[in-house]
Amino acid sequence: MSLLDIISHQLVNGLVLGSFYALVALGYTMIFGVIKLLNFAHGDLYMVGGFLGFLSLSAVSSVVGADWPGIFVAMFLSMIAVGFIGVVIERVAYHPMLAAPRLSILITALAVSLVLQNTVLALTGGQYTAFQTDLGFGGLNLGSLFISYNQMVLVATAGVLMIALHLFVNRTQFGRAMRAVSIDMDMSQLLGINVSAVIAVTFFIGSALAAAAGTMAGAYYGSIWYFMGFLIGLKAFTAAVIGGIGSIPGAMLGGLILGLLEAFGTQIPFIGSEWKDVFSFAVLILVLVLKPTGLLGKSEQERM
Amino acid sequence: MSQHDSVTTRLSARIAAQFQTPAVRWGGIALILVFLAVLPAVFGQYATVIMTNALLYVVLALGLNVVVGFAGLLDLGYAAFFAVGAYTIGILTLEFGVNFWLALPCAVVGAAIAGVIIGGPTLRLRSDYLAIVTLGFGEIVRFSARNLAITGKASGLSGIGQPWLFGWHIATPTDFYYVFCGLAIGAVIVSLRLEDSRLGRAWLYVRHDEDVAEAMGINRVAVKLAAYVIGAIFAAIGGAFFAANLGAISPESFSFTQSVLILMAVILGGMGKIPGVILGAFIVILGPELLRNLGELRLMVFAVMLLLIMLFRPSGIWPKRGTRS
């Protein structure tokens, strides 16, 4: 393969990977924006989304088939369900802890993550579940570069979801309330914004986006298991940090950058693909140490 | 609720006051020591092996307690230091034929250096960032152990020899049980002394208000780094004897789940309080054993318990007096 081939090939891989990262990173960043909580359970919502997408697809595939239309229906159902799960988690686990020390709420989030993982572990017995679809293998040949239709649909879907989110946050009344809460929760409350509702909707949207990514990833890679949310949760956090945590465009940008970095990172001589994850964590640590505010983040003076 | 709280607080204060008379306290300690000494003979090998594991967790949890409980830093990659200790012993004794007792100080130094490497640049970060960086560091160590030839890749190292101590070949599970008893007692004594030391008071200060602590002349970064390094040393010693006990180590012994289990031990019992942390370590090891007949559900039940404890007793089952937040 020529150098150009390798570059364009990895560009496509990076875009696909980056779309997943960006969708999950958005939820991280939105939730962090409103309640300043690192939701450790977010990666597990992606995993739950994958499983609920799989169950929905099994339920609807006899009517709409198991190709993209069926997957979209399943994805939609999974998004709604996981959105509500996210809202319930916030109400039950995080809401009573908002005034508690930061360490306590972080550990609560960790506990929620373990509950989700172990529930699915108990239900599936820890086995990989095959995510069967009727997706084809067709694609476009652009010179020597092959892009499958699946990859195109996937990246386009992620793009549409992100544009919809962008419009919602920037063009609607509710989106304005959301931005206000993320700047100053107490002041927003004084000005008559229903802060509880804003937090609930934020959890709903963030969790739904993770579920969308989970369903698409399950369909694309063909299998799901209870631990699949752990690594992507970490990496999506990395993406959110690269972009600047709290910043929605930052999460999208960070996701794409991390996806591309990882795809190209595997091409560096002596760094085989088995070092891919080490590579992303090294990037995470470097960004946090050198530029903790990220690319598009606002600087913050807060400590601990 | 508040009345109930004050009743329990008063009750626990009264029980604590009982413990403060020297006779009761030394009597209690003597009782515990006698129990530990006769356990293998009374309860048999299965209980001995599980107790050995619990005592290892006491050492690890007390080490993490220095970082999380004393200095107030959330570390989600603590298993990495445990791994550094175990792998240093494995590599030095297997590849280089170094004696266990010479390899042990190397493991301690190695873990301390790892503590400085990870702590140095990151301790200025906010607590939640620090948590993620330590998590990333833990994963880097595990992935490296899985990819490097010297650490035996995914299958790990096996055939690590059992050490001799002045003519005593530490070989049977019971021998290792007594070694871990000694380590756990040592860890308790060091923790108690640390808590009362100048450094211990500095940690308390930094934990409560970093800025004021710094204004009072405490070097914030230095005392945090000290906590990190001391915690790492506890883990390395635990890891070294863990490697010698099992004779084989693999990367999966040092996963994120391991870090979380150790953290759970610290949190469940009551962060910063030494008896609480010991209780937590026993719960983490003995709890799943007792729930064994639940099968697949036991980890889930355990996770739900942790969540409930965080929601209803955020400072642990047996918290330090005066720290109910």
Side-chain angles (χ1 to χ4, degrees):
Chain A
M1 279 214 288
S2 75
L3 187 64
L4 193 68
D5 284 347
I6 294 177
I7 290 177
S8 45
H9 183 68
Q10 293 305 335
L11 203 65
V12 174
N13 281 346
L15 274 179
V16 172
L17 210 54
S19 307
F20 292 138
Y21 292 161
L23 284 177
V24 183
L26 279 170
Y28 255 120
T29 231
M30 288 171 72
I31 290 167
F32 188 88
V34 292
I35 62 170
K36 307 288 173 254
L37 162 73
L38 259 186
N39 187 9
F40 274 113
H42 198 65
D44 300 296
L45 288 173
Y46 160 92
M47 177 272 295
V48 172
F51 274 93
L52 289 181
F54 168 71
L55 290 179
S56 316
L57 186 64
S58 327
V60 300
S61 60
S62 58
V63 186
V64 283
D67 207 337
W68 278 110
I71 293 173
F72 280 132
V73 173
M75 186 176 98
F76 181 72
L77 294 174
S78 168
M79 283 171 77
I80 305 277
V82 174
F84 279 112
I85 294 176
V87 173
V88 169
I89 289 174
E90 191 275 326
R91 281 293 118 156
V92 173
Y94 302 152
H95 207 75
M97 303 290 290
L98 282 182
R102 201 126 178 192
L103 203 59
S104 309
I105 190 165
L106 271 179
I107 292 159
T108 309
L110 206 59
V112 171
S113 158
L114 291 173
V115 170
L116 290 176
Q117 265 176 31
N118 287 306
T119 308
V120 177
L121 170 67
L123 292 175
T124 62
Q127 302 293 313
Y128 278 90
T129 307
F131 198 119
Q132 273 167 352
T133 60
D134 295 336
L135 292 181
F137 297 99
L140 276 184
N141 274 307
L142 301 173
S144 59
L145 173 67
F146 176 78
I147 309 176
S148 74
Y149 292 129
N150 293 340
Q151 289 172 326
M152 281 190 255
V153 174
L154 218 151
V155 174
T157 312
V160 167
L161 287 173
M162 285 189 254
I163 291 169
L165 176 72
H166 183 79
L167 293 177
F168 177 76
V169 172
N170 288 304
R171 298 286 166 83
T172 64
Q173 181 110 34
F174 208 90
R176 192 183 303 157
M178 220 176 215
R179 284 180 284 145
V181 171
S182 78
I183 294 169
D184 190 332
M185 188 186 284
D186 295 335
M187 193 65 203
S188 309
Q189 183 113 47
L190 289 175
L191 292 176
I193 293 173
N194 185 345
V195 172
S196 281
V198 168
I199 293 176
V201 169
T202 307
F203 267 84
F204 186 89
I205 297 176
S207 311
L209 289 174
T215 308
M216 287 199 288
Y220 181 69
Y221 295 115
S223 71
I224 44 179
W225 74 309
Y226 79 100
F227 207 56
M228 71 191 237
F230 174 66
L231 261 187
I232 195 161
L234 265 179
K235 288 186 182 168
F237 173 79
T238 309
V241 168
I242 293 176
I245 196 140
S247 151
I248 289 177
M252 304 179 191
L253 184 68
L256 291 180
I257 291 178
L258 187 68
L260 291 171
L261 271 179
E262 232 176 61
F264 283 104
T266 56
Q267 298 300 313
I268 301 171
F270 310 115
I271 301 185
S273 58
E274 73 266 27
W275 290 97
K276 175 178 87 151
D277 299 326
V278 173
F279 185 75
S280 349
F281 295 133
V283 170
L284 167 69
I285 293 177
L286 282 178
V287 173
L288 277 180
V289 171
L290 300 177
K291 193 160 174 23
T293 53
L295 295 174
L296 302 180
K298 294 169 284 286
S299 84
E300 233 179 317
Q301 288 302 317
E302 189 192 5
R303 268 202 211 131
M304 294 304 279
Chain B
M1 186 70 198
S2 68
Q3 189 160 11
H4 170 76
D5 266 7
S6 74
V7 169
T8 50
T9 317
R10 249 185 298 152
L11 198 68
S12 64
R14 204 186 286 165
I15 293 169
Q18 284 296 314
F19 274 108
Q20 271 156 2
T21 61
V24 174
R25 203 169 57 189
W26 289 108
I29 290 172
L31 212 64
I32 291 171
L33 287 180
V34 169
F35 174 75
L36 284 178
V38 301
L39 184 129
V42 177
F43 291 95
Q45 190 158 40
Y46 179 68
T48 308
V49 170
I50 293 190
M51 265 307 271
T52 309
N53 203 12
L55 290 167
L56 166 69
Y57 263 70
V58 169
V59 175
L60 295 175
L62 284 172
L64 184 59
N65 183 48
V66 172
V67 182
V68 181
F70 289 174
L73 306 164
L74 184 53
D75 186 341
L76 294 178
Y78 190 65
F81 300 123
F82 181 44
V84 168
Y87 272 105
T88 310
I89 291 292
I91 292 168
L92 286 181
T93 55
L94 286 176
E95 312 270 330
F96 299 98
V98 178
N99 182 297
F100 176 85
W101 300 106
L102 284 176
L104 187 61
C106 299
V108 167
V109 172
I113 293 172
V116 173
I117 290 175
I118 186 64
T122 55
L123 286 174
R124 287 162 218 271
L125 297 174
R126 301 186 349 198
S127 60
D128 34 14
Y129 279 18
L130 180 68
I132 288 280
V133 169
T134 51
L135 210 176
F137 174 67
E139 289 298 292
I140 287 179
V141 167
R142 185 169 66 91
F143 278 116
S144 304
R146 208 159 72 181
N147 292 339
L148 289 172
I150 194 164
T151 51
K153 299 213 168 167
S155 52
L157 299 172
S158 57
I160 300 165
Q162 290 147 333
W164 290 78
L165 182 65
F166 305 121
W168 173 38
H169 188 198
I170 306 170
T172 66
T174 312
D175 292 339
F176 274 103
Y177 165 78
Y178 284 116
V179 168
F180 276 100
C181 274
L183 289 177
I185 292 167
V188 171
I189 293 171
V190 172
S191 290
L192 285 169
R193 299 303 301 144
L194 272 174
E195 194 179 20
D196 279 339
S197 69
R198 189 185 167 87
L199 191 57
R201 289 193 301 276
W203 284 329
L204 181 78
Y205 218 156
V206 167
R207 188 172 77 230
H208 282 288
D209 194 325
E210 242 178 271
D211 297 318
V212 175
E214 195 156 37
M216 290 296 161
I218 292 170
N219 185 340
R220 189 165 60 89
V221 174
V223 299
K224 283 184 178 180
L225 200 57
Y228 237 72
V229 169
I230 293 170
I233 290 173
F234 272 65
I237 294 175
F241 284 96
F242 171 80
N245 182 13
L246 292 189
I249 47 178
S250 79
E252 297 319 305
S253 307
F254 312 101
S255 62
F256 176 60
T257 317
Q258 182 76 275
S259 297
V260 169
L261 275 179
I262 305 169
L263 183 68
M264 268 196 208
V266 176
I267 309 285
L268 278 176
M271 262 182 283
K273 175 165 169 150
I274 292 162
V277 172
I278 298 171
L279 177 71
F282 279 99
I283 293 176
V284 164
I285 295 303
L286 303 182
E289 289 301 326
L290 297 176
L291 295 174
R292 193 167 277 282
N293 51 2
L294 289 175
E296 302 259 76
L297 283 175
R298 68 188 175 132
L299 282 173
M300 191 180 106
V301 171
F302 203 60
V304 171
M305 263 170 48
L306 178 72
L307 185 60
L308 292 177
I309 287 173
M310 282 322 291
L311 290 178
F312 296 108
R313 282 195 78 94
S315 32
I317 298 172
W318 193 0
K320 229 180 160 81
R321 266 166 298 140
T323 55
R324 296 174 61 91
S325 48

